[in-house]
Coordinates of all heavy atoms in Angstrom, one line a residue:
M3 N 0.8 -1.2 0.1 CA 0.0 0.1 0.0 C 0.9 1.2 0.0 O 1.8 1.2 0.7 CB -0.9 0.0 1.2 CG -1.9 1.1 1.2 SD -3.0 0.9 2.6 CE -4.3 0.1 1.9
A4 N 0.6 2.2 -0.9 CA 1.4 3.4 -1.1 C 1.1 4.3 0.1 O 0.0 4.5 0.7 CB 1.0 4.0 -2.3
N5 N 2.2 5.1 0.6 CA 2.0 6.1 1.6 C 1.2 7.3 1.1 O 1.4 7.7 0.0 CB 3.4 6.7 2.1 CG 4.0 5.9 3.1 OD1 3.3 5.1 3.8 ND2 5.3 6.2 3.4
K6 N 0.3 7.6 1.9 CA -0.6 8.8 1.6 C 0.0 10.0 2.1 O 0.4 10.0 3.3 CB -2.0 8.7 2.0 CG -2.8 7.6 1.3 CD -4.3 7.7 1.8 CE -5.1 6.8 1.0 NZ -6.6 6.8 1.4
K7 N 0.2 11.1 1.2 CA 0.7 12.3 1.8 C -0.3 13.1 2.5 O -1.6 13.0 2.1 CB 1.2 13.2 0.6 CG 2.7 12.7 0.1 CD 3.2 13.7 -0.7 CE 4.6 13.4 -1.0 NZ 5.5 14.6 -1.3
Q8 N -0.1 13.8 3.5 CA -1.1 14.5 4.2 C -1.4 15.7 3.4 O -0.5 16.4 2.9 CB -0.5 14.9 5.6 CG -1.0 14.1 6.7 CD -0.5 14.8 8.0 OE1 0.4 15.7 8.1 NE2 -1.3 14.5 9.1
K9 N -2.7 16.0 3.3 CA -3.1 17.1 2.5 C -3.0 18.3 3.4 O -3.3 18.3 4.6 CB -4.6 17.0 2.2 CG -4.8 15.8 1.2 CD -6.3 15.7 0.8 CE -6.5 14.7 -0.4 NZ -7.8 14.4 -0.7
P10 N -2.6 19.5 2.8 CA -2.5 20.7 3.6 C -3.9 21.2 4.2 O -5.1 21.0 3.6 CB -2.1 21.8 2.6 CG -1.9 21.1 1.3 CD -2.3 19.6 1.4
T11 N -3.9 21.7 5.4 CA -5.1 22.1 6.0 C -5.0 23.6 6.3 O -4.1 24.0 6.9 CB -5.4 21.3 7.3 OG1 -4.8 20.1 7.3 CG2 -6.8 21.1 7.7
C12 N -6.1 24.3 5.9 CA -6.1 25.8 6.1 C -6.1 26.1 7.6 O -5.5 27.1 8.0 CB -7.3 26.4 5.4 SG -7.2 26.3 3.6
K13 N -6.8 25.2 8.4 CA -6.9 25.5 9.8 C -5.5 25.7 10.5 O -5.2 26.4 11.5 CB -7.7 24.4 10.6 CG -9.2 24.6 10.5 CD -9.8 23.4 11.3 CE -11.4 23.6 11.2 NZ -12.0 22.6 12.1
T14 N -4.5 24.8 10.1 CA -3.2 24.7 10.7 C -2.2 25.5 9.9 O -1.1 25.6 10.5 CB -2.7 23.4 10.8 OG1 -2.7 22.7 9.5 CG2 -3.7 22.6 11.8
C15 N -2.6 26.1 8.8 CA -1.5 26.8 8.0 C -1.2 28.1 8.5 O -2.0 29.0 8.9 CB -2.1 27.0 6.5 SG -1.0 27.7 5.4
H16 N 0.1 28.5 8.6 CA 0.5 29.8 9.1 C 0.4 30.9 8.1 O 0.5 32.0 8.4 CB 2.0 29.7 9.6 CG 3.0 29.4 8.5 ND1 3.3 28.2 7.8 CD2 3.7 30.3 7.7 CE1 4.1 28.3 6.8 NE2 4.4 29.6 6.7
L17 N -0.1 30.6 6.8 CA -0.3 31.6 5.9 C -1.8 32.0 5.7 O -2.2 32.9 5.1 CB 0.1 31.1 4.5 CG 1.5 30.7 4.3 CD1 1.8 29.8 3.0 CD2 2.4 31.9 4.2
M18 N -2.6 31.5 6.5 CA -4.1 31.8 6.6 C -4.1 33.0 7.5 O -3.6 33.0 8.6 CB -4.8 30.7 7.2 CG -6.5 30.9 7.1 SD -7.2 31.7 8.6 CE -6.8 30.5 9.7
E19 N -5.0 34.0 7.2 CA -5.2 35.2 8.0 C -6.7 35.5 8.0 O -7.3 35.7 7.1 CB -4.5 36.3 7.4 CG -4.4 37.6 8.4 CD -3.5 38.6 7.8 OE1 -2.3 38.4 7.7 OE2 -4.0 39.8 7.5
P20 N -7.2 35.6 9.3 CA -8.6 35.8 9.4 C -8.9 37.4 9.5 O -8.0 38.1 9.8 CB -9.0 35.3 10.7 CG -7.7 35.2 11.5 CD -6.7 35.2 10.5
E21 N -10.1 37.8 8.9 CA -10.6 39.1 9.1 C -11.9 39.1 9.9 O -12.8 38.5 9.4 CB -10.9 39.8 7.7 CG -11.4 41.2 7.7 CD -11.7 41.7 6.5 OE1 -10.8 41.8 5.6 OE2 -12.7 42.2 6.2
I22 N -11.8 39.3 11.1 CA -12.9 39.2 12.1 C -13.7 40.4 12.0 O -13.2 41.5 12.2 CB -12.4 38.9 13.6 CG1 -11.4 37.7 13.5 CG2 -13.5 38.6 14.4 CD1 -11.8 36.3 13.1
V23 N -15.0 40.2 11.7 CA -16.0 41.3 11.6 C -17.0 41.0 12.6 O -17.6 39.8 12.8 CB -16.6 41.2 10.2 CG1 -17.6 42.4 10.0 CG2 -15.5 41.3 9.2
R24 N -17.5 42.0 13.3 CA -18.6 41.8 14.3 C -19.9 41.9 13.6 O -20.1 42.7 12.7 CB -18.5 43.0 15.3 CG -17.2 42.8 16.3 CD -17.3 43.7 17.5 NE -16.1 43.4 18.3 CZ -15.8 44.2 19.3 NH1 -16.6 45.3 19.6 NH2 -14.8 43.9 20.0
N25 N -20.8 41.0 14.1 CA -22.2 41.0 13.6 C -22.2 40.8 12.1 O -23.0 41.4 11.3 CB -23.0 42.3 13.9 CG -23.0 42.5 15.5 OD1 -23.2 41.5 16.2 ND2 -22.9 43.7 15.9
G26 N -21.3 40.0 11.5 CA -21.2 39.7 10.1 C -20.5 38.5 9.8 O -20.3 37.6 10.9
R27 N -20.1 38.2 8.6 CA -19.4 37.1 8.2 C -17.9 37.4 8.3 O -17.4 38.4 7.8 CB -19.7 36.6 6.9 CG -21.1 35.9 6.8 CD -21.4 35.4 5.5 NE -22.6 34.8 5.6 CZ -23.0 33.6 5.1 NH1 -21.9 32.9 4.5 NH2 -24.1 33.1 5.1
N28 N -17.2 36.4 9.0 CA -15.7 36.5 9.0 C -15.2 36.0 7.8 O -15.7 35.0 7.2 CB -15.2 35.8 10.3 CG -15.7 36.3 11.6 OD1 -15.8 37.5 11.7 ND2 -16.1 35.4 12.5
I29 N -14.1 36.6 7.3 CA -13.5 36.3 6.0 C -12.0 35.8 6.3 O -11.3 36.4 7.0 CB -13.4 37.4 5.0 CG1 -14.8 37.9 4.7 CG2 -12.8 36.9 3.7 CD1 -14.8 39.2 4.0
F30 N -11.8 34.6 5.7 CA -10.4 34.0 5.9 C -9.7 34.0 4.6 O -10.1 33.5 3.6 CB -10.6 32.5 6.5 CG -11.3 32.5 7.7 CD1 -12.7 32.3 7.8 CD2 -10.6 32.5 8.9 CE1 -13.4 32.3 9.0 CE2 -11.2 32.5 10.2 CZ -12.5 32.3 10.1
Y31 N -8.5 34.6 4.6 CA -7.7 34.8 3.4 C -6.5 33.9 3.4 O -5.8 33.7 4.4 CB -7.1 36.4 3.3 CG -8.2 37.2 3.1 CD1 -8.8 38.0 4.2 CD2 -8.8 37.5 1.9 CE1 -9.7 38.9 4.0 CE2 -9.8 38.5 1.7 CZ -10.2 39.2 2.9 OH -11.2 40.2 2.7
C32 N -5.9 33.5 2.2 CA -4.7 32.8 2.0 C -3.6 33.8 1.7 O -3.9 34.7 0.7 CB -4.8 31.8 0.9 SG -3.2 31.0 0.6
M33 N -2.6 34.0 2.4 CA -1.7 35.0 2.1 C -0.4 34.5 1.5 O 0.7 35.2 1.3 CB -1.2 35.6 3.6 CG -2.3 36.2 4.4 SD -3.3 37.4 3.7 CE -2.3 38.8 3.8
H34 N -0.5 33.3 0.9 CA 0.6 32.7 0.1 C 0.9 33.6 -1.2 O -0.1 33.9 -1.9 CB 0.2 31.4 -0.3 CG 1.4 30.5 -0.8 ND1 2.0 30.8 -2.0 CD2 2.2 29.6 -0.2 CE1 3.0 29.9 -2.2 NE2 3.1 29.1 -1.1
P35 N 2.1 34.0 -1.4 CA 2.3 34.9 -2.7 C 1.8 34.2 -3.9 O 1.5 35.0 -4.9 CB 3.8 35.0 -2.7 CG 4.4 34.2 -1.5 CD 3.3 33.6 -0.8
E36 N 1.9 32.8 -4.1 CA 1.5 32.3 -5.3 C -0.1 32.1 -5.4 O -0.5 31.6 -6.5 CB 2.1 30.9 -5.5 CG 3.6 31.0 -5.7 CD 4.3 29.7 -5.8 OE1 3.7 28.7 -6.0 OE2 5.5 29.6 -5.3
A37 N -0.8 32.4 -4.3 CA -2.3 32.1 -4.4 C -3.0 33.4 -4.9 O -4.2 33.2 -5.2 CB -2.8 31.9 -3.0
K38 N -2.3 34.5 -5.2 CA -3.1 35.7 -5.5 C -3.4 35.6 -7.1 O -2.7 34.9 -7.8 CB -2.2 37.1 -5.2 CG -0.9 37.1 -6.0 CD -0.1 38.3 -5.6 CE 1.2 38.3 -6.2 NZ 1.9 39.5 -5.9
T39 N -4.4 36.4 -7.5 CA -4.9 36.4 -8.9 C -4.7 37.9 -9.3 O -4.4 38.9 -8.5 CB -6.3 35.9 -9.0 OG1 -7.1 36.9 -8.2 CG2 -6.5 34.6 -8.5
E40 N -5.1 38.1 -10.6 CA -5.0 39.5 -11.1 C -6.0 40.4 -10.4 O -5.7 41.6 -10.2 CB -5.5 39.5 -12.6 CG -4.5 38.9 -13.5 CD -4.8 38.8 -14.9 OE1 -5.7 39.7 -15.3 OE2 -4.4 38.0 -15.7
C41 N -7.2 39.8 -9.9 CA -8.2 40.8 -9.2 C -8.0 40.8 -7.8 O -8.5 41.7 -7.1 CB -9.6 40.1 -9.6 SG -9.9 40.1 -11.4
L42 N -7.6 39.6 -7.2 CA -7.5 39.6 -5.7 C -6.0 39.5 -5.3 O -5.3 38.5 -5.6 CB -8.2 38.3 -5.3 CG -9.7 38.3 -5.6 CD1 -10.2 36.8 -5.3 CD2 -10.5 39.3 -4.8
P43 N -5.5 40.4 -4.4 CA -4.3 40.3 -3.9 C -4.1 39.1 -3.0 O -3.0 38.5 -2.8 CB -4.0 41.7 -3.2 CG -5.3 42.3 -2.9 CD -6.3 41.6 -3.9
H44 N -5.2 38.8 -2.3 CA -5.2 37.6 -1.4 C -6.5 36.8 -1.7 O -7.6 37.4 -1.6 CB -5.1 38.1 0.2 CG -4.1 38.9 0.4 ND1 -2.7 38.5 0.3 CD2 -3.9 40.2 0.6 CE1 -1.9 39.4 0.6 NE2 -2.6 40.5 0.8
R45 N -6.4 35.6 -1.9 CA -7.6 34.7 -2.3 C -8.4 34.4 -1.0 O -7.8 34.2 0.1 CB -7.2 33.4 -2.9 CG -6.8 33.8 -4.4 CD -6.5 32.5 -5.0 NE -7.8 32.0 -5.7 CZ -7.7 31.1 -6.7 NH1 -6.6 30.6 -7.1 NH2 -8.8 30.8 -7.2
I46 N -9.7 34.3 -1.0 CA -10.6 34.1 0.1 C -10.6 32.5 0.1 O -11.0 31.9 -0.8 CB -11.9 34.6 -0.1 CG1 -11.8 36.2 -0.1 CG2 -12.9 34.2 1.0 CD1 -13.2 37.0 -0.5
I47 N -10.4 32.0 1.3 CA -10.5 30.5 1.6 C -11.9 30.3 1.9 O -12.5 29.4 1.4 CB -9.5 30.2 2.8 CG1 -8.1 30.4 2.4 CG2 -9.7 28.6 3.1 CD1 -7.2 30.4 3.6
S48 N -12.4 31.0 2.9 CA -13.8 30.7 3.3 C -14.5 32.0 4.0 O -13.7 32.8 4.5 CB -13.8 29.6 4.4 OG -15.0 29.2 5.0
R49 N -15.8 31.9 4.2 CA -16.5 32.9 5.0 C -17.3 32.2 6.0 O -17.9 31.0 5.6 CB -17.4 33.7 4.1 CG -16.7 34.6 3.2 CD -17.6 35.5 2.4 NE -16.7 36.3 1.5 CZ -16.9 36.7 0.3 NH1 -18.0 36.3 -0.4 NH2 -16.1 37.5 -0.4
S50 N -17.4 32.6 7.1 CA -18.1 32.0 8.3 C -18.5 32.9 9.3 O -18.0 34.0 9.4 CB -17.1 30.9 8.8 OG -17.7 30.4 10.1
R51 N -19.6 32.6 10.0 CA -20.1 33.4 11.1 C -19.3 33.1 12.3 O -19.4 33.7 13.4 CB -21.5 33.2 11.3 CG -22.4 33.8 10.1 CD -23.8 34.1 10.5 NE -24.6 34.4 9.5 CZ -24.7 35.7 9.1 NH1 -23.9 36.7 9.7 NH2 -25.4 36.1 8.0
E52 N -18.6 32.0 12.3 CA -17.7 31.5 13.5 C -16.4 32.2 13.5 O -15.9 32.8 12.4 CB -17.6 30.0 13.4 CG -18.9 29.2 13.4 CD -19.8 29.6 14.6 OE1 -19.1 29.5 15.7 OE2 -20.9 29.4 14.4
N53 N -15.7 32.1 14.6 CA -14.3 32.8 14.7 C -13.2 31.7 14.2 O -12.0 32.1 14.2 CB -14.0 33.2 16.0 CG -14.8 34.3 16.4 OD1 -15.3 35.2 15.5 ND2 -14.7 34.6 17.7
E54 N -13.6 30.5 13.9 CA -12.7 29.5 13.5 C -13.0 29.1 12.1 O -14.2 29.0 11.7 CB -12.7 28.3 14.4 CG -11.7 27.2 14.1 CD -11.6 26.2 15.1 OE1 -11.8 26.4 16.2 OE2 -11.6 25.0 14.7
I55 N -12.1 29.0 11.2 CA -12.4 28.5 9.8 C -13.0 27.1 9.7 O -12.5 26.2 10.4 CB -10.9 28.6 9.0 CG1 -11.3 28.5 7.5 CG2 -9.9 27.5 9.5 CD1 -10.0 28.9 6.7
P56 N -14.1 27.1 9.0 CA -14.8 25.8 8.8 C -14.1 24.9 7.8 O -14.5 23.7 7.7 CB -16.3 26.3 8.3 CG -15.9 27.5 7.5 CD -14.8 28.2 8.3
T57 N -13.2 25.2 7.0 CA -12.6 24.5 5.9 C -11.6 23.4 6.6 O -10.8 23.7 7.4 CB -11.8 25.4 4.9 OG1 -12.7 26.3 4.5 CG2 -11.4 24.5 3.8
K58 N -11.8 22.1 6.2 CA -11.0 21.1 6.8 C -9.8 20.8 6.0 O -8.7 20.7 6.5 CB -11.8 19.7 6.8 CG -13.0 19.9 7.8 CD -13.7 18.5 7.8 CE -14.9 18.5 8.8 NZ -15.7 17.4 8.7
T59 N -9.8 20.9 4.7 CA -8.6 20.8 3.8 C -8.5 22.0 3.0 O -9.5 22.8 2.8 CB -8.7 19.5 3.0 OG1 -9.8 19.4 2.2 CG2 -8.7 18.2 3.9
A60 N -7.3 22.2 2.4 CA -7.1 23.3 1.5 C -7.9 23.2 0.3 O -8.1 22.1 -0.2 CB -5.6 23.4 1.2
P61 N -8.3 24.3 -0.3 CA -9.0 24.3 -1.7 C -8.0 23.8 -2.8 O -6.9 23.7 -2.6 CB -9.4 25.8 -1.9 CG -8.7 26.6 -0.8 CD -8.1 25.7 0.2
K62 N -8.7 23.5 -4.0 CA -7.9 22.9 -5.0 C -6.8 23.9 -5.5 O -5.8 23.4 -6.1 CB -9.0 22.6 -6.3 CG -9.7 21.5 -5.9 CD -10.6 21.0 -7.1 CE -11.6 20.0 -6.7 NZ -12.4 19.6 -7.8
W63 N -7.1 25.2 -5.4 CA -6.1 26.2 -6.0 C -4.9 26.3 -5.1 O -3.9 27.1 -5.4 CB -6.8 27.4 -6.3 CG -7.7 28.0 -5.2 CD1 -9.0 27.9 -5.0 CD2 -7.2 28.8 -4.0 NE1 -9.3 28.6 -3.9 CE2 -8.3 29.1 -3.2 CE3 -5.9 29.1 -3.6 CZ2 -8.2 29.8 -2.0 CZ3 -5.8 29.9 -2.5 CH2 -7.0 30.2 -1.7
C64 N -4.9 25.7 -3.9 CA -3.9 26.0 -2.8 C -2.5 25.6 -3.4 O -2.2 24.6 -3.8 CB -4.1 25.1 -1.6 SG -2.7 25.2 -0.4
P65 N -1.5 26.5 -3.4 CA -0.1 26.4 -3.8 C 0.6 25.3 -3.0 O 1.3 24.6 -3.6 CB 0.6 27.6 -3.6 CG -0.4 28.7 -3.5 CD -1.6 28.0 -3.0
L66 N 0.3 25.1 -1.8 CA 0.9 23.9 -1.0 C 0.4 22.6 -1.5 O 1.1 21.7 -1.4 CB 0.6 24.1 0.5 CG 1.2 25.5 1.0 CD1 0.8 25.6 2.5 CD2 2.6 25.6 0.9
R67 N -0.8 22.5 -2.0 CA -1.4 21.3 -2.5 C -0.8 21.0 -3.7 O -0.6 19.9 -4.2 CB -2.9 21.6 -2.6 CG -3.7 20.3 -2.6 CD -5.1 20.6 -2.5 NE -5.8 19.4 -2.3 CZ -7.2 19.2 -2.3 NH1 -8.0 20.3 -2.3 NH2 -7.7 18.1 -1.9
Q68 N -0.5 22.0 -4.6 CA 0.1 21.9 -5.9 C 1.6 21.4 -5.8 O 2.1 20.8 -6.8 CB 0.1 23.1 -6.7 CG -1.3 23.8 -6.7 CD -2.3 23.0 -7.4 OE1 -2.1 22.2 -8.5 NE2 -3.6 23.0 -7.0
E69 N 2.2 21.7 -4.7 CA 3.7 21.2 -4.7 C 3.9 19.7 -4.7 O 4.9 19.3 -5.1 CB 4.3 21.9 -3.4 CG 4.5 23.3 -3.5 CD 5.0 23.9 -2.2 OE1 5.3 23.1 -1.2 OE2 5.0 25.2 -2.1
A70 N 2.8 19.1 -4.3 CA 2.9 17.6 -4.3 C 3.0 17.0 -5.7 O 3.3 15.9 -5.9 CB 1.9 17.0 -3.4
Q71 N 2.5 17.7 -6.5 CA 2.1 17.3 -8.0 C 3.5 17.6 -8.8 O 4.1 18.7 -8.7 CB 1.0 17.9 -8.6 CG -0.3 17.5 -8.0 CD -1.4 18.0 -8.4 OE1 -1.4 19.0 -9.4 NE2 -2.6 17.9 -8.0
P72 N 3.9 16.7 -9.7 CA 5.1 17.0 -10.4 C 4.9 18.2 -11.5 O 3.8 18.4 -11.9 CB 5.5 15.8 -11.2 CG 4.1 15.0 -11.3 CD 3.4 15.4 -10.0
C73 N 5.9 18.9 -11.8 CA 5.9 20.0 -12.8 C 5.6 19.4 -14.1 O 6.2 18.3 -14.5 CB 7.1 20.8 -12.7 SG 7.1 22.2 -13.7
G74 N 4.9 20.1 -15.0 CA 4.6 19.5 -16.4 C 5.7 19.7 -17.5 O 5.3 20.1 -18.5
E75 N 6.9 19.7 -17.1 CA 8.0 19.9 -18.0 C 8.1 18.7 -18.9 O 8.1 17.6 -18.6 CB 9.3 20.3 -17.3 CG 9.3 21.6 -16.8 CD 10.6 22.0 -16.2 OE1 11.6 21.3 -16.5 OE2 10.6 23.0 -15.4

């Protein structure tokens, strides 16, 4: 049986930064330099009414998730 690599988790990632808003939805951003797009300097991971991020694993676009895959050269 092959070893399964652990998937990155936003909850434990040191690059995740919350924006806590009172009486609204809290927004959790990915601060990884490779995660930004033309429109967004920091991509949104999740929105929640709780103070803790509800996402269990990193989204598909996460650069840390992409590192496990070989480069297409």
Side-chain angles (χ1 to χ4, degrees):
M3 188 177 263
N5 270 346
K6 287 187 177 183
K7 284 196 170 198
Q8 262 190 333
K9 292 182 181 179
T11 329
C12 294
K13 279 185 177 183
T14 59
C15 183
H16 66 281
L17 297 168
M18 186 273 296
E19 186 172 300
E21 179 180 304
I22 306 299
V23 181
R24 289 190 177 171
N25 300 325
R27 288 187 176 225
N28 299 322
I29 303 171
F30 299 89
Y31 294 99
C32 178
M33 304 304 279
H34 195 289
E36 293 177 24
K38 65 183 176 181
T39 65
E40 290 179 23
C41 302
L42 300 168
H44 306 293
R45 287 184 92 162
I46 295 173
I47 301 168
S48 179
R49 292 185 177 141
S50 172
R51 293 202 183 274
E52 304 297 323
N53 287 343
E54 189 175 314
I55 189 167
T57 308
K58 293 181 181 176
T59 57
K62 289 182 182 180
W63 52 260
C64 174
L66 299 177
R67 205 171 188 180
Q68 306 301 326
E69 288 175 4
Q71 297 174 0
C73 186
E75 287 185 20

